[in-house]
Amino acid sequence: MFTLYATPLSANGRKVLALTHHLGLKPEVKLINVYKGEGRSPEYLAINPWGKIPTLVDGELKLWESNAILQYLSEAHGEFRLWSRDPKQRADISRWLFWESSHWQPAFTPVLAAFVGPLLVSQAARPAPVHLNWSNEGFQTVVKFLDSLLSQRPFIVGDALTLADFSVAGMMMYLRPARFPWEAFPHLSAWYERIEDLEAWKETADGPWKY
């Protein structure tokens, strides 16, 4: 089949692992705990020079960047499920993958860095209470935008689950342990509950994100 280097402790690792479960794929999974420095080993850097996860190896292809991996899995191994053969639909889904990496994830980082990083480095089973700045302007902009969009549709691109949902859901896994104010964003909350109900999401919960 193919090999995935990942960890479900990471948002980017989990979303790729969850997609393989959802598509019924059986890759060889090699766990790389980047929070313990395993991504900096010479062996791993030969596969991914950035030392990050996930990385997919399929024959001669060495592919990093989680959203590129989502697309590849669907096209090469998933018969385009959750993706599309139609160029307009595919562009719509792709738009959200770019949005996730350029807007969504960067907006989460300054808010969650004081919570997620120390927790994973310490390998604590449960998070210690910490005050997070949910009112951060950049964060508020993206969550309000997505909450409004999801008031009109059950999933990010429309009525059906797509790669866009797996991509955006990755960072969401940190919010419940971090005591995010869900009541302020009811449509975002309802959408993420639909993601949490997926067997693939349940199967890939691990560490402090397993609740």
Side-chain angles (χ1 to χ4, degrees), residues 104-169:
W104 183 251
Q105 195 160 154
F108 274 60
T109 301
V111 177
L112 292 172
F115 172 75
V116 175
L119 178 61
L120 290 176
V121 170
S122 69
Q123 302 292 300
R126 288 290 180 267
V130 61
H131 175 73
L132 300 178
N133 182 20
W134 301 118
S135 62
N136 175 281
E137 183 178 359
F139 180 79
Q140 283 287 316
T141 297
V142 296
V143 294
K144 285 179 178 177
F145 173 77
L146 193 56
D147 186 66
S148 176
L149 178 93
L150 291 166
S151 71
Q152 308 162 36
R153 56 183 73 171
F155 295 102
I156 290 176
V157 176
D159 293 330
L161 183 74
T162 68
L163 297 183
D165 298 287
F166 277 87
S167 177
V168 174

Short mmCIF file of all heavy atoms in Angstrom, two decimals, residues 104-169:
data_model
loop_
_atom_site.label_atom_id
_atom_site.label_comp_id
_atom_site.label_asym_id
_atom_site.label_seq_id
_atom_site.Cartn_x
_atom_site.Cartn_y
_atom_site.Cartn_z
N TRP A 104 -7.10 29.72 8.61
CA TRP A 104 -7.66 29.03 9.78
C TRP A 104 -6.58 28.62 10.77
O TRP A 104 -6.59 29.02 11.93
CB TRP A 104 -8.46 27.82 9.30
CG TRP A 104 -9.18 27.01 10.32
CD1 TRP A 104 -8.85 25.74 10.73
CD2 TRP A 104 -10.38 27.35 11.02
NE1 TRP A 104 -9.76 25.28 11.63
CE2 TRP A 104 -10.72 26.24 11.84
CE3 TRP A 104 -11.20 28.48 11.04
CZ2 TRP A 104 -11.83 26.24 12.66
CZ3 TRP A 104 -12.32 28.47 11.86
CH2 TRP A 104 -12.63 27.37 12.67
N GLN A 105 -5.65 27.82 10.30
CA GLN A 105 -4.61 27.32 11.21
C GLN A 105 -3.74 28.45 11.78
O GLN A 105 -3.47 28.46 12.99
CB GLN A 105 -3.76 26.26 10.51
CG GLN A 105 -2.93 25.44 11.47
CD GLN A 105 -2.45 24.11 10.91
OE1 GLN A 105 -1.43 23.62 11.35
NE2 GLN A 105 -3.15 23.54 9.96
N PRO A 106 -3.30 29.43 10.98
CA PRO A 106 -2.52 30.52 11.56
C PRO A 106 -3.29 31.34 12.60
O PRO A 106 -2.67 31.90 13.52
CB PRO A 106 -2.17 31.38 10.34
CG PRO A 106 -2.19 30.43 9.20
CD PRO A 106 -3.31 29.48 9.51
N ALA A 107 -4.62 31.43 12.48
CA ALA A 107 -5.40 32.17 13.46
C ALA A 107 -5.49 31.43 14.79
O ALA A 107 -5.61 32.05 15.85
CB ALA A 107 -6.80 32.45 12.91
N PHE A 108 -5.44 30.11 14.75
CA PHE A 108 -5.51 29.30 15.97
C PHE A 108 -4.18 29.33 16.75
O PHE A 108 -4.18 29.25 17.97
CB PHE A 108 -5.83 27.85 15.61
CG PHE A 108 -7.29 27.55 15.49
CD1 PHE A 108 -8.08 28.21 14.55
CD2 PHE A 108 -7.90 26.60 16.29
CE1 PHE A 108 -9.42 27.93 14.42
CE2 PHE A 108 -9.25 26.31 16.17
CZ PHE A 108 -10.02 26.98 15.23
N THR A 109 -3.08 29.40 16.03
CA THR A 109 -1.77 29.22 16.65
C THR A 109 -1.49 30.17 17.81
O THR A 109 -1.09 29.72 18.90
CB THR A 109 -0.67 29.30 15.59
OG1 THR A 109 -0.91 28.28 14.60
CG2 THR A 109 0.70 29.10 16.20
N PRO A 110 -1.67 31.49 17.66
CA PRO A 110 -1.35 32.37 18.79
C PRO A 110 -2.26 32.18 20.00
O PRO A 110 -1.86 32.45 21.13
CB PRO A 110 -1.50 33.78 18.20
CG PRO A 110 -2.37 33.62 17.01
CD PRO A 110 -2.07 32.26 16.47
N VAL A 111 -3.47 31.69 19.76
CA VAL A 111 -4.42 31.48 20.86
C VAL A 111 -4.09 30.20 21.62
O VAL A 111 -4.14 30.15 22.85
CB VAL A 111 -5.87 31.43 20.33
CG1 VAL A 111 -6.85 31.13 21.46
CG2 VAL A 111 -6.23 32.76 19.66
N LEU A 112 -3.73 29.15 20.90
CA LEU A 112 -3.58 27.83 21.51
C LEU A 112 -2.15 27.46 21.87
O LEU A 112 -1.93 26.46 22.55
CB LEU A 112 -4.14 26.77 20.56
CG LEU A 112 -5.66 26.79 20.36
CD1 LEU A 112 -6.05 25.82 19.26
CD2 LEU A 112 -6.38 26.44 21.65
N ALA A 113 -1.17 28.24 21.43
CA ALA A 113 0.23 27.85 21.62
C ALA A 113 0.59 27.62 23.08
O ALA A 113 1.30 26.66 23.42
CB ALA A 113 1.15 28.91 21.02
N ALA A 114 0.06 28.45 23.97
CA ALA A 114 0.40 28.31 25.40
C ALA A 114 -0.25 27.10 26.03
O ALA A 114 0.12 26.68 27.12
CB ALA A 114 -0.02 29.58 26.15
N PHE A 115 -1.23 26.52 25.34
CA PHE A 115 -1.96 25.37 25.87
C PHE A 115 -1.47 24.06 25.25
O PHE A 115 -1.11 23.12 25.95
CB PHE A 115 -3.45 25.55 25.60
CG PHE A 115 -4.30 24.36 25.92
CD1 PHE A 115 -4.60 24.04 27.24
CD2 PHE A 115 -4.83 23.57 24.91
CE1 PHE A 115 -5.39 22.95 27.54
CE2 PHE A 115 -5.62 22.46 25.20
CZ PHE A 115 -5.90 22.15 26.52
N VAL A 116 -1.45 24.01 23.93
CA VAL A 116 -1.17 22.75 23.23
C VAL A 116 0.30 22.35 23.36
O VAL A 116 0.60 21.21 23.72
CB VAL A 116 -1.56 22.86 21.75
CG1 VAL A 116 -1.15 21.60 21.00
CG2 VAL A 116 -3.06 23.09 21.62
N GLY A 117 1.21 23.26 23.06
CA GLY A 117 2.64 22.91 23.07
C GLY A 117 3.13 22.36 24.39
O GLY A 117 3.65 21.23 24.45
N PRO A 118 2.97 23.10 25.50
CA PRO A 118 3.44 22.58 26.79
C PRO A 118 2.76 21.27 27.19
O PRO A 118 3.40 20.40 27.80
CB PRO A 118 3.07 23.70 27.76
CG PRO A 118 3.05 24.93 26.92
CD PRO A 118 2.51 24.49 25.60
N LEU A 119 1.50 21.12 26.85
CA LEU A 119 0.78 19.89 27.21
C LEU A 119 1.37 18.69 26.49
O LEU A 119 1.60 17.63 27.11
CB LEU A 119 -0.70 20.04 26.86
CG LEU A 119 -1.60 18.83 27.12
CD1 LEU A 119 -1.61 18.47 28.60
CD2 LEU A 119 -3.02 19.12 26.64
N LEU A 120 1.67 18.82 25.21
CA LEU A 120 2.20 17.69 24.46
C LEU A 120 3.65 17.41 24.79
O LEU A 120 4.08 16.26 24.79
CB LEU A 120 2.03 17.95 22.96
CG LEU A 120 0.58 17.91 22.49
CD1 LEU A 120 0.47 18.28 21.02
CD2 LEU A 120 -0.05 16.53 22.71
N VAL A 121 4.41 18.44 25.08
CA VAL A 121 5.80 18.22 25.49
C VAL A 121 5.87 17.51 26.83
O VAL A 121 6.68 16.61 27.05
CB VAL A 121 6.56 19.56 25.54
CG1 VAL A 121 7.93 19.37 26.19
CG2 VAL A 121 6.73 20.13 24.13
N SER A 122 4.97 17.88 27.75
CA SER A 122 4.97 17.26 29.08
C SER A 122 4.35 15.89 29.07
O SER A 122 4.52 15.11 30.00
CB SER A 122 4.21 18.16 30.06
OG SER A 122 2.82 18.17 29.76
N GLN A 123 3.57 15.58 27.99
CA GLN A 123 2.88 14.30 27.88
C GLN A 123 1.88 14.10 29.03
O GLN A 123 1.60 12.96 29.43
CB GLN A 123 3.87 13.13 27.85
CG GLN A 123 4.87 13.21 26.71
CD GLN A 123 4.25 13.03 25.34
OE1 GLN A 123 3.65 12.01 25.06
NE2 GLN A 123 4.36 14.03 24.50
N ALA A 124 1.34 15.17 29.55
CA ALA A 124 0.35 15.06 30.62
C ALA A 124 -0.93 14.43 30.09
O ALA A 124 -1.32 14.65 28.94
CB ALA A 124 0.04 16.45 31.20
N ALA A 125 -1.58 13.63 30.91
CA ALA A 125 -2.80 12.96 30.50
C ALA A 125 -3.97 13.92 30.42
O ALA A 125 -4.89 13.75 29.62
CB ALA A 125 -3.13 11.82 31.47
N ARG A 126 -3.97 14.95 31.27
CA ARG A 126 -5.06 15.90 31.30
C ARG A 126 -4.49 17.32 31.32
O ARG A 126 -3.49 17.59 31.98
CB ARG A 126 -5.94 15.68 32.54
CG ARG A 126 -6.80 14.43 32.46
CD ARG A 126 -7.90 14.59 31.40
NE ARG A 126 -8.75 13.40 31.31
CZ ARG A 126 -8.54 12.41 30.47
NH1 ARG A 126 -7.51 12.46 29.65
NH2 ARG A 126 -9.35 11.38 30.43
N PRO A 127 -5.14 18.24 30.61
CA PRO A 127 -4.61 19.60 30.57
C PRO A 127 -4.81 20.35 31.87
O PRO A 127 -5.81 20.18 32.56
CB PRO A 127 -5.47 20.24 29.46
CG PRO A 127 -6.73 19.44 29.42
CD PRO A 127 -6.32 18.05 29.77
N ALA A 128 -3.81 21.14 32.22
CA ALA A 128 -3.94 22.02 33.38
C ALA A 128 -4.75 23.24 32.97
O ALA A 128 -4.70 23.66 31.81
CB ALA A 128 -2.56 22.44 33.87
N PRO A 129 -5.50 23.82 33.89
CA PRO A 129 -6.28 25.02 33.55
C PRO A 129 -5.36 26.15 33.08
O PRO A 129 -4.30 26.38 33.66
CB PRO A 129 -6.96 25.38 34.88
CG PRO A 129 -6.96 24.11 35.67
CD PRO A 129 -5.71 23.39 35.27
N VAL A 130 -5.75 26.82 32.02
CA VAL A 130 -4.97 27.93 31.51
C VAL A 130 -5.94 28.91 30.86
O VAL A 130 -6.93 28.51 30.25
CB VAL A 130 -3.90 27.45 30.50
CG1 VAL A 130 -4.54 26.76 29.31
CG2 VAL A 130 -3.01 28.59 30.06
N HIS A 131 -5.67 30.19 31.02
CA HIS A 131 -6.52 31.20 30.42
C HIS A 131 -6.07 31.45 28.99
O HIS A 131 -4.90 31.77 28.74
CB HIS A 131 -6.46 32.51 31.22
CG HIS A 131 -7.23 33.62 30.57
ND1 HIS A 131 -8.61 33.65 30.55
CD2 HIS A 131 -6.81 34.72 29.88
CE1 HIS A 131 -9.01 34.73 29.90
NE2 HIS A 131 -7.94 35.39 29.48
N LEU A 132 -6.98 31.29 28.04
CA LEU A 132 -6.67 31.51 26.64
C LEU A 132 -7.44 32.72 26.12
O LEU A 132 -8.58 32.97 26.52
CB LEU A 132 -7.01 30.28 25.81
CG LEU A 132 -6.27 28.99 26.20
CD1 LEU A 132 -6.72 27.83 25.35
CD2 LEU A 132 -4.76 29.18 26.07
N ASN A 133 -6.84 33.45 25.22
CA ASN A 133 -7.43 34.68 24.71
C ASN A 133 -8.35 34.39 23.53
O ASN A 133 -7.98 34.59 22.37
CB ASN A 133 -6.32 35.66 24.31
CG ASN A 133 -6.89 36.98 23.83
OD1 ASN A 133 -8.04 37.32 24.12
ND2 ASN A 133 -6.08 37.74 23.09
N TRP A 134 -9.55 33.93 23.83
CA TRP A 134 -10.52 33.63 22.78
C TRP A 134 -10.97 34.89 22.04
O TRP A 134 -11.56 34.79 20.96
CB TRP A 134 -11.73 32.91 23.35
CG TRP A 134 -11.42 31.62 24.03
CD1 TRP A 134 -11.62 31.31 25.34
CD2 TRP A 134 -10.84 30.44 23.45
NE1 TRP A 134 -11.21 30.02 25.62
CE2 TRP A 134 -10.73 29.46 24.47
CE3 TRP A 134 -10.40 30.11 22.16
CZ2 TRP A 134 -10.20 28.19 24.24
CZ3 TRP A 134 -9.87 28.85 21.94
CH2 TRP A 134 -9.78 27.90 22.96
N SER A 135 -10.72 36.06 22.60
CA SER A 135 -11.13 37.31 21.95
C SER A 135 -10.09 37.82 20.96
O SER A 135 -10.29 38.89 20.37
CB SER A 135 -11.41 38.38 23.01
OG SER A 135 -10.24 38.67 23.75
N ASN A 136 -9.01 37.09 20.76
CA ASN A 136 -8.00 37.45 19.77
C ASN A 136 -8.68 37.81 18.44
O ASN A 136 -9.50 37.05 17.93
CB ASN A 136 -7.03 36.29 19.59
CG ASN A 136 -6.02 36.52 18.49
OD1 ASN A 136 -6.31 36.36 17.32
ND2 ASN A 136 -4.81 36.88 18.88
N GLU A 137 -8.34 38.95 17.88
CA GLU A 137 -9.06 39.46 16.71
C GLU A 137 -8.99 38.51 15.51
O GLU A 137 -9.99 38.25 14.84
CB GLU A 137 -8.50 40.83 16.32
CG GLU A 137 -9.24 41.46 15.15
CD GLU A 137 -8.71 42.85 14.79
OE1 GLU A 137 -7.77 43.32 15.48
OE2 GLU A 137 -9.22 43.44 13.83
N GLY A 138 -7.80 38.01 15.22
CA GLY A 138 -7.67 37.11 14.09
C GLY A 138 -8.46 35.83 14.27
O GLY A 138 -9.09 35.32 13.33
N PHE A 139 -8.44 35.30 15.49
CA PHE A 139 -9.19 34.09 15.79
C PHE A 139 -10.69 34.34 15.66
O PHE A 139 -11.41 33.55 15.05
CB PHE A 139 -8.84 33.62 17.20
CG PHE A 139 -9.55 32.37 17.63
CD1 PHE A 139 -9.12 31.13 17.21
CD2 PHE A 139 -10.67 32.44 18.46
CE1 PHE A 139 -9.78 29.96 17.60
CE2 PHE A 139 -11.33 31.29 18.85
CZ PHE A 139 -10.88 30.05 18.42
N GLN A 140 -11.16 35.44 16.24
CA GLN A 140 -12.58 35.77 16.17
C GLN A 140 -13.05 35.93 14.72
O GLN A 140 -14.15 35.51 14.37
CB GLN A 140 -12.86 37.05 16.96
CG GLN A 140 -12.90 36.86 18.46
CD GLN A 140 -14.16 36.15 18.92
OE1 GLN A 140 -15.26 36.46 18.47
NE2 GLN A 140 -14.00 35.18 19.81
N THR A 141 -12.21 36.50 13.89
CA THR A 141 -12.58 36.71 12.49
C THR A 141 -12.88 35.39 11.79
O THR A 141 -13.91 35.25 11.11
CB THR A 141 -11.46 37.46 11.74
OG1 THR A 141 -11.29 38.75 12.32
CG2 THR A 141 -11.79 37.62 10.27
N VAL A 142 -12.00 34.40 11.96
CA VAL A 142 -12.20 33.14 11.22
C VAL A 142 -13.32 32.30 11.82
O VAL A 142 -14.09 31.67 11.08
CB VAL A 142 -10.89 32.32 11.10
CG1 VAL A 142 -9.87 33.08 10.27
CG2 VAL A 142 -10.33 31.91 12.45
N VAL A 143 -13.44 32.27 13.15
CA VAL A 143 -14.49 31.42 13.73
C VAL A 143 -15.87 32.02 13.49
O VAL A 143 -16.84 31.28 13.25
CB VAL A 143 -14.25 31.12 15.23
CG1 VAL A 143 -13.01 30.28 15.42
CG2 VAL A 143 -14.20 32.37 16.06
N LYS A 144 -15.98 33.34 13.52
CA LYS A 144 -17.27 33.97 13.20
C LYS A 144 -17.64 33.74 11.75
O LYS A 144 -18.81 33.48 11.43
CB LYS A 144 -17.21 35.47 13.49
CG LYS A 144 -17.25 35.84 14.96
CD LYS A 144 -17.17 37.34 15.16
CE LYS A 144 -17.26 37.72 16.64
NZ LYS A 144 -17.11 39.18 16.84
N PHE A 145 -16.67 33.82 10.87
CA PHE A 145 -16.91 33.58 9.45
C PHE A 145 -17.43 32.16 9.22
O PHE A 145 -18.43 31.95 8.53
CB PHE A 145 -15.63 33.81 8.66
CG PHE A 145 -15.72 33.42 7.21
CD1 PHE A 145 -16.37 34.24 6.30
CD2 PHE A 145 -15.17 32.24 6.77
CE1 PHE A 145 -16.47 33.88 4.96
CE2 PHE A 145 -15.26 31.86 5.43
CZ PHE A 145 -15.91 32.69 4.52
N LEU A 146 -16.74 31.18 9.82
CA LEU A 146 -17.15 29.80 9.60
C LEU A 146 -18.47 29.49 10.29
O LEU A 146 -19.30 28.75 9.75
CB LEU A 146 -16.06 28.84 10.08
CG LEU A 146 -16.22 27.38 9.61
CD1 LEU A 146 -16.30 27.30 8.09
CD2 LEU A 146 -15.07 26.52 10.12
N ASP A 147 -18.70 30.05 11.46
CA ASP A 147 -19.98 29.85 12.14
C ASP A 147 -21.13 30.37 11.28
O ASP A 147 -22.18 29.72 11.17
CB ASP A 147 -19.95 30.57 13.49
CG ASP A 147 -21.19 30.28 14.32
OD1 ASP A 147 -21.38 29.12 14.73
OD2 ASP A 147 -21.98 31.23 14.56
N SER A 148 -20.94 31.52 10.66
CA SER A 148 -21.98 32.09 9.79
C SER A 148 -22.21 31.20 8.58
O SER A 148 -23.36 30.93 8.20
CB SER A 148 -21.56 33.49 9.34
OG SER A 148 -22.50 34.03 8.44
N LEU A 149 -21.14 30.74 7.96
CA LEU A 149 -21.27 29.85 6.80
C LEU A 149 -22.04 28.59 7.17
O LEU A 149 -22.92 28.14 6.43
CB LEU A 149 -19.89 29.49 6.28
CG LEU A 149 -19.89 28.53 5.08
CD1 LEU A 149 -19.87 29.30 3.78
CD2 LEU A 149 -18.70 27.57 5.13
N LEU A 150 -21.72 28.02 8.33
CA LEU A 150 -22.34 26.75 8.74
C LEU A 150 -23.76 26.93 9.24
O LEU A 150 -24.44 25.94 9.51
CB LEU A 150 -21.46 26.07 9.79
CG LEU A 150 -20.13 25.55 9.25
CD1 LEU A 150 -19.18 25.19 10.38
CD2 LEU A 150 -20.36 24.34 8.34
N SER A 151 -24.24 28.15 9.32
CA SER A 151 -25.66 28.37 9.61
C SER A 151 -26.51 28.09 8.38
O SER A 151 -27.73 27.95 8.47
CB SER A 151 -25.88 29.82 10.07
OG SER A 151 -25.72 30.73 9.00
N GLN A 152 -25.86 27.97 7.22
CA GLN A 152 -26.56 27.79 5.96
C GLN A 152 -26.41 26.39 5.38
O GLN A 152 -27.06 26.05 4.40
CB GLN A 152 -26.03 28.80 4.93
CG GLN A 152 -26.02 30.24 5.40
CD GLN A 152 -25.10 31.10 4.55
OE1 GLN A 152 -24.99 30.92 3.33
NE2 GLN A 152 -24.42 32.04 5.18
N ARG A 153 -25.54 25.58 5.97
CA ARG A 153 -25.24 24.26 5.39
C ARG A 153 -24.68 23.35 6.48
O ARG A 153 -24.07 23.84 7.43
CB ARG A 153 -24.23 24.39 4.25
CG ARG A 153 -22.95 25.10 4.67
CD ARG A 153 -21.97 25.30 3.52
NE ARG A 153 -22.41 26.34 2.61
CZ ARG A 153 -21.64 26.83 1.63
NH1 ARG A 153 -20.41 26.34 1.44
NH2 ARG A 153 -22.09 27.76 0.84
N PRO A 154 -24.86 22.04 6.35
CA PRO A 154 -24.37 21.13 7.40
C PRO A 154 -22.87 20.87 7.35
O PRO A 154 -22.26 20.55 8.37
CB PRO A 154 -25.15 19.85 7.14
CG PRO A 154 -25.51 19.90 5.69
CD PRO A 154 -25.71 21.36 5.36
N PHE A 155 -22.28 21.02 6.16
CA PHE A 155 -20.85 20.79 6.01
C PHE A 155 -20.23 21.97 5.27
O PHE A 155 -20.94 22.82 4.72
CB PHE A 155 -20.56 19.47 5.29
CG PHE A 155 -21.02 18.26 6.07
CD1 PHE A 155 -22.20 17.61 5.73
CD2 PHE A 155 -20.29 17.80 7.15
CE1 PHE A 155 -22.63 16.51 6.46
CE2 PHE A 155 -20.72 16.70 7.90
CZ PHE A 155 -21.90 16.05 7.54
N ILE A 156 -18.93 22.04 5.24
CA ILE A 156 -18.27 23.26 4.78
C ILE A 156 -18.57 23.57 3.32
O ILE A 156 -18.80 24.73 2.96
CB ILE A 156 -16.75 23.16 5.04
CG1 ILE A 156 -16.49 23.25 6.55
CG2 ILE A 156 -15.99 24.26 4.30
CD1 ILE A 156 -15.05 23.09 6.96
N VAL A 157 -18.61 22.57 2.48
CA VAL A 157 -18.85 22.82 1.05
C VAL A 157 -20.33 22.69 0.68
O VAL A 157 -20.73 23.12 -0.39
CB VAL A 157 -17.95 21.91 0.20
CG1 VAL A 157 -18.21 22.06 -1.29
CG2 VAL A 157 -16.48 22.24 0.46
N GLY A 158 -21.14 22.14 1.56
CA GLY A 158 -22.55 21.99 1.23
C GLY A 158 -23.22 20.92 2.06
O GLY A 158 -23.06 20.87 3.28
N ASP A 159 -23.96 20.04 1.39
CA ASP A 159 -24.75 19.04 2.09
C ASP A 159 -23.98 17.77 2.41
O ASP A 159 -24.48 16.91 3.16
CB ASP A 159 -25.98 18.66 1.24
CG ASP A 159 -26.96 19.82 1.13
OD1 ASP A 159 -27.01 20.63 2.07
OD2 ASP A 159 -27.65 19.91 0.09
N ALA A 160 -22.80 17.61 1.84
CA ALA A 160 -22.05 16.36 2.01
C ALA A 160 -20.68 16.60 2.61
O ALA A 160 -20.05 17.64 2.39
CB ALA A 160 -21.91 15.65 0.66
N LEU A 161 -20.21 15.63 3.35
CA LEU A 161 -18.87 15.64 3.92
C LEU A 161 -17.83 15.62 2.80
O LEU A 161 -17.98 14.89 1.82
CB LEU A 161 -18.70 14.40 4.80
CG LEU A 161 -17.40 14.21 5.57
CD1 LEU A 161 -17.35 15.18 6.75
CD2 LEU A 161 -17.29 12.77 6.07
N THR A 162 -16.78 16.43 2.92
CA THR A 162 -15.69 16.45 1.93
C THR A 162 -14.34 16.54 2.64
O THR A 162 -14.27 16.64 3.87
CB THR A 162 -15.81 17.65 0.97
OG1 THR A 162 -15.56 18.86 1.70
CG2 THR A 162 -17.18 17.71 0.29
N LEU A 163 -13.30 16.56 1.84
CA LEU A 163 -11.95 16.74 2.38
C LEU A 163 -11.84 18.06 3.16
O LEU A 163 -11.06 18.15 4.11
CB LEU A 163 -10.91 16.75 1.26
CG LEU A 163 -10.73 15.48 0.43
CD1 LEU A 163 -9.59 15.68 -0.57
CD2 LEU A 163 -10.48 14.26 1.30
N ALA A 164 -12.62 19.04 2.78
CA ALA A 164 -12.58 20.33 3.47
C ALA A 164 -12.91 20.17 4.95
O ALA A 164 -12.30 20.81 5.81
CB ALA A 164 -13.54 21.31 2.81
N ASP A 165 -13.87 19.31 5.26
CA ASP A 165 -14.25 19.10 6.65
C ASP A 165 -13.14 18.44 7.45
O ASP A 165 -12.86 18.82 8.59
CB ASP A 165 -15.53 18.27 6.71
CG ASP A 165 -16.70 18.97 6.04
OD1 ASP A 165 -17.22 19.94 6.63
OD2 ASP A 165 -17.07 18.57 4.92
N PHE A 166 -12.50 17.44 6.86
CA PHE A 166 -11.38 16.80 7.55
C PHE A 166 -10.24 17.79 7.77
O PHE A 166 -9.62 17.81 8.84
CB PHE A 166 -10.89 15.59 6.76
CG PHE A 166 -11.68 14.34 7.00
CD1 PHE A 166 -12.82 14.07 6.26
CD2 PHE A 166 -11.31 13.45 7.99
CE1 PHE A 166 -13.58 12.92 6.49
CE2 PHE A 166 -12.05 12.30 8.24
CZ PHE A 166 -13.19 12.03 7.48
N SER A 167 -9.98 18.61 6.77
CA SER A 167 -8.89 19.57 6.88
C SER A 167 -9.14 20.57 7.99
O SER A 167 -8.29 20.77 8.86
CB SER A 167 -8.73 20.31 5.53
OG SER A 167 -7.74 21.30 5.63
N VAL A 168 -10.30 21.19 7.99
CA VAL A 168 -10.60 22.24 8.97
C VAL A 168 -10.80 21.66 10.37
O VAL A 168 -10.47 22.28 11.37
CB VAL A 168 -11.83 23.05 8.51
CG1 VAL A 168 -12.28 24.04 9.58
CG2 VAL A 168 -11.51 23.78 7.21
N ALA A 169 -11.32 20.43 10.45
CA ALA A 169 -11.57 19.82 11.75
C ALA A 169 -10.30 19.55 12.54
O ALA A 169 -10.35 19.45 13.77
CB ALA A 169 -12.35 18.52 11.58
#
